[in-house]
Amino acid sequence: MSKDCFICDKHTGTINTVGVKIFEDDYVYVGHIDKGVRPSYLGHIMIDLKRHAPGLGDLTIEEANAFGQIMARVSKAVKETENAEHIYALVSGNSVAHLHMHIVPRYPNTPEEYWGPNEVYSWADAPFGMNEDIVKVCERVRNYLEENSDEES
């Protein structure tokens, strides 16, 4: 854990975020993005490396395996449970120097000018919600992962 790291603080329970845990193992933690008092884009999932490491080049082989596998599993789960037509993935470590990935769905009927992981936020008809809606998304994705864990190993 690192001092003054939002993601490390989230994992130690120093700060609370919306939703519920979707998945956790020795290497990764998966939950929904939290926009604070503002509504969040539903289905915008965060995959955090549990160990404080700034970027992809800092991963161990075990962490890389876990990170890649959960990225694929969560992407499929969001696509299936939220009826997304496309999944965007952004690996980050810039604004918060702790490796994490954004999984952002694109929903049917999204106008092409709003295609992209950041652009979907500008679409007026995009599905946004607060904690109650976020918890429902988290539960659907978590249940899908649990119900399909044997198929994906």
Side-chain angles (χ1 to χ4, degrees), residues 46-86:
M46 297 287 297
I47 300 172
D48 303 333
L49 186 66
K50 286 177 71 174
R51 179 177 68 87
H52 184 83
L56 288 170
D58 302 300
L59 290 171
T60 66
I61 293 301
E62 294 81 11
E63 289 168 336
N65 285 334
F67 205 80
Q69 287 180 31
I70 199 62
M71 172 194 66
R73 291 182 64 213
V74 167
S75 295
K76 183 175 182 178
V78 170
K79 195 169 186 182
E80 294 295 322
T81 64
E82 305 313 300
N83 301 312
E85 64 182 12
H86 185 77

Side-chain angles (χ1 to χ4, degrees), residues 13-104:
T14 307
I15 60 168
N16 292 315
T17 56
V18 296
V20 294
K21 175 176 64 179
I22 294 171
F23 178 86
E24 182 175 17
D25 66 13
D26 291 341
Y27 303 107
V28 295
Y29 178 91
V30 180
H32 201 283
I33 193 148
D34 184 354
K35 292 291 187 180
V37 296
R38 296 176 298 154
S40 293
Y41 183 77
L42 296 176
H44 184 159
I45 306 297
M46 297 287 297
I47 300 172
D48 303 333
L49 186 66
K50 286 177 71 174
R51 179 177 68 87
H52 184 83
L56 288 170
D58 302 300
L59 290 171
T60 66
I61 293 301
E62 294 81 11
E63 289 168 336
N65 285 334
F67 205 80
Q69 287 180 31
I70 199 62
M71 172 194 66
R73 291 182 64 213
V74 167
S75 295
K76 183 175 182 178
V78 170
K79 195 169 186 182
E80 294 295 322
T81 64
E82 305 313 300
N83 301 312
E85 64 182 12
H86 185 77
I87 300 293
Y88 301 105
L90 294 166
V91 176
S92 191
N94 291 335
S95 61
V96 176
H98 184 129
L99 180 65
H100 60 284
M101 174 178 277
H102 297 259
I103 301 292
V104 183

